[in-house]
Amino acid sequence: MRLRDELLDGTYYPGRSICFVITRPKPREVWAAEFRDRIVHHLLYNRISPRFYASFIHDTCACIPGRGTLYAARRLESKIRSASENWSRPLWYMKCDLANFFVSIDKSVLWTQIAKRVVDPWWLWLAGVVLFHDPRQDFDLRGDPRLLERVPVHKRLASQPTHLGLPIGNLSSQFFANIYLDALDQHVKHQVRARHYVRYVDDFVLLHESPQWLNDALASIGAFLPARLGARLNPSKTILQPVARGVDFVGHVIKPWHTRTRRRTVRQAVARLRTMDADPVHQAANSYFGLLRQANSSHTDRAALAHAILRRGHVVNGSLTKTYRKANN
């Protein structure tokens, strides 16, 4: 009730955040808002997201109901099959990634994008409170402080000026990121005129039969991003090669007639099951089985997973899709 009253009378202000560092797959900061603030994030998201979703292209994924990693992988595979006529024609792909994406988002640009669609003064006020709140002003650092040193300086929110950066870890940040990159989607579709394009957060793939066309598209996107959004591509993660070699996207490797889970993901899953404490093995194993089953060619990977599970004393069904706790005698 206090939160409701604060929202209605305009005195609401976000509280203290929790900052911690994750190390897998690589070190990065995570900023978790207080529970009452997460309620506000959901309130705002539930109210204003439909008006943005109505204009998003069908090829943008992440933080959209029904458009997770599996949707993104299947949509890309469908586009590859269409463009290559079921793998019968040569096809090239270009995969790109934005440099230091979340910490380089320009809030002033994002605010302009939000204000164009959110016309109700109260909801616009709330969006501004959430967007411009700086969690660095009041936070609780959890875990080993030395882990912060493993996060590169250019990837730390604390090293950015106040007008740049969104905290990784909040629903609002994921949603705002999609609003921010809708401009990129529209540019790729209407100026670059890419027929086959899929984006998941800041990773995106374009398909074409001509590598030269893809290079021209890269030049157009590379000029658009800093001019319009203040963002830039990460040149070290730009890939241009034939689709037949396999397209690594959202954890899936798409190859002719089959998809598999990324090798690194499988290795890490097996290694974790071998070394984690006994109690969470059962739950983690079934989660990994669910992940691997998303690929249509996963028997070998599920067999490796099952071997690690059996060594931990659990039981695996014959189809290698689920594990059960071994009953005590």
Side-chain angles (χ1 to χ4, degrees):
M1 291 302 296
R2 284 197 299 270
L3 177 59
R4 171 188 177 276
D5 293 341
E6 290 175 14
L7 288 168
L8 290 179
D9 63 22
T11 60
Y12 165 75
Y13 190 77
R16 170 176 290 193
S17 295
I18 296 172
C19 177
F20 58 94
V21 176
I22 61 171
T23 57
R24 287 193 302 265
K26 54 188 176 182
R28 64 179 61 189
E29 293 175 335
V30 176
W31 298 80
E34 283 187 348
F35 181 74
R36 72 195 304 265
D37 296 328
R38 295 201 295 271
I39 293 174
V40 174
H41 296 169
H42 280 269
L43 173 71
L44 178 66
Y45 170 83
N46 290 340
R47 177 69 180 197
I48 72 174
S49 62
R51 68 190 67 183
F52 288 97
Y53 289 160
S55 64
F56 285 174
I57 65 174
H58 292 293
D59 301 314
T60 181
C61 313
C63 199
I64 300 175
R67 299 195 205 173
T69 55
L70 182 57
Y71 172 93
R74 287 179 174 174
R75 189 158 184 87
L76 179 58
E77 183 180 13
S78 175
K79 287 180 174 292
I80 291 174
R81 287 178 177 272
S82 174
S84 67
E85 296 182 0
N86 260 348
W87 305 98
S88 65
R89 296 178 54 187
L91 186 68
W92 291 70
Y93 80 93
M94 181 176 66
K95 180 182 175 183
C96 300
D97 176 271
L98 271 63
N100 312 317
F101 174 55
F102 274 95
V103 297
S104 64
I105 290 177
D106 191 322
K107 294 180 182 180
S108 60
V109 173
L110 179 54
W111 176 244
T112 301
Q113 296 170 316
I114 294 172
K116 287 181 179 179
R117 298 283 177 83
V118 182
V119 296
D120 184 286
W122 190 86
W123 290 103
L124 186 60
W125 163 79
L126 185 59
V129 171
V130 174
L131 173 62
F132 290 107
H133 171 62
D134 188 350
R136 299 171 298 181
Q137 301 302 317
D138 183 18
F139 68 94
D140 179 17
L141 180 61
R142 300 283 179 88
D144 189 345
R146 292 173 297 181
L147 289 177
L148 280 174
E149 299 175 2
R150 298 178 57 182
V151 181
V153 174
H154 62 278
K155 291 184 178 294
R156 298 179 192 172
L157 185 62
S159 66
Q160 305 302 318
T162 55
H163 73 285
L164 293 183
L166 295 180
I168 297 175
N170 292 333
L171 170 65
S172 57
S173 297
Q174 299 174 52
F175 174 55
F176 287 157
N178 262 344
I179 297 174
Y180 190 69
L181 288 184
D182 180 57
L184 170 63
D185 298 337
Q186 302 301 331
H187 176 78
V188 171
K189 283 295 186 181
H190 299 296
Q191 273 65 54
V192 177
R193 297 187 179 278
R195 291 182 58 199
H196 305 292
Y197 161 83
V198 178
R199 177 177 66 80
Y200 188 90
V201 193
D202 62 325
D203 293 331
F204 58 92
V205 175
L206 290 87
L207 306 171
H208 203 273
E209 61 270 16
S210 167
Q212 182 57 51
W213 186 94
L214 289 172
N215 274 319
D216 293 342
L218 178 64
S220 176
I221 294 170
F224 168 82
L225 285 170
R228 177 69 182 275
L229 298 178
R232 61 185 179 85
L233 295 171
N234 185 342
S236 66
K237 292 187 177 181
T238 299
I239 300 172
L240 176 63
Q241 66 177 15
V243 165
R245 295 184 182 177
V247 184
D248 187 338
F249 187 59
V250 294
H252 296 255
V253 180
I254 303 169
K255 291 188 175 182
W257 307 111
H258 75 279
T259 63
R260 294 188 68 176
T261 305
R262 184 182 293 157
R263 301 292 87 218
R264 184 181 66 185
T265 302
V266 177
R267 290 195 298 268
Q268 289 178 343
V270 172
R272 286 197 67 203
L273 289 175
R274 286 174 175 169
T275 59
M276 68 169 43
D277 294 338
D279 288 343
V281 168
H282 173 260
Q283 184 176 2
N286 279 322
S287 295
Y288 283 129
F289 271 136
L291 173 66
L292 296 181
R293 288 173 62 189
Q294 293 181 358
N296 62 21
S297 180
S298 63
H299 185 272
T300 301
D301 297 334
R302 287 184 284 117
L305 196 71
H307 182 70
I309 295 167
L310 292 171
R311 291 177 65 90
R312 296 304 303 270
H314 292 284
V315 178
V316 178
N317 64 357
S319 57
L320 306 182
T321 58
K322 191 172 183 179
T323 181
Y324 304 90
R325 291 187 176 90
K326 188 174 181 180
N328 295 325
N329 293 328

